[in-house]
Amino acid sequence: MHGSASPGWLLVALCAATGAYCLLRMRSGVEEQRRAAGGEALMGFGMAAMAVPAAVFTPPGWAWPLYGAVFGAAALRALWAARSDACHLHHLVGAAAMVYMAVVMAGAPAHASAHGHGGSGVPALTGALLLYFTGYVLLSGARLVPVPAVPGGPPVTGWADRPELARVCRLSMGIAMVAMLLAM
């Protein structure tokens, strides 16, 4: 991604930590949580790899089509899963955004990755994705406001089944997506 190295490394750390926690969530006893966590782990690690500053490592030309193919497959999987649960539509938008970023980066000239893009403005699709993910971040942040515990509610047994941590995971990936789209 374009931009300076320090924010890039912070974004790499945030996305990698999120991906690692999502791997931990895959140990859940609930099958739907395991599936969602797997997709989110893929997204977190993919975003971490994409966010590595270009001054440190410039991926070879074949990497961007590979990203596009991997996240295209993830988008198809999310589309298939959305037939039975609309919650997967967010995963579909996220995977499609990753495909879009991979296509943009594949078409970017070599000097653009080091110096940013010209004054052509924000493309319409980038703007639409920015609006979606900004709204998602604001809504997810509002959902993290603590609520009183319900007496007699189910006990939390481990790190893999903590819904508030899953929300934090999704919120951090949404924030990272906004940062990556702004850096394009």
Side-chain angles (χ1 to χ4, degrees), residues 35-142:
R35 279 194 205 136
E40 291 165 1
L42 173 69
M43 185 71 72
F45 289 126
M47 289 172 68
M50 231 183 225
V52 172
V56 175
F57 174 72
T58 302
W62 55 264
W64 299 117
L66 180 64
Y67 278 128
V70 167
F71 286 102
L76 289 174
R77 184 178 180 277
L79 180 62
W80 184 259
R83 295 176 310 118
S84 61
D85 187 4
C87 293
H88 292 282
L89 291 174
H90 173 69
H91 294 141
L92 173 63
V93 174
M98 293 293 283
V99 170
Y100 171 67
M101 287 189 286
V103 167
V104 168
M105 294 306 291
H111 69 277
S113 62
H115 303 292
H117 61 287
S120 63
V122 176
L125 184 54
T126 304
L129 288 169
L130 276 169
L131 284 174
Y132 173 81
F133 282 105
T134 301
Y136 181 80
V137 164
L138 293 173
L139 183 62
S140 295

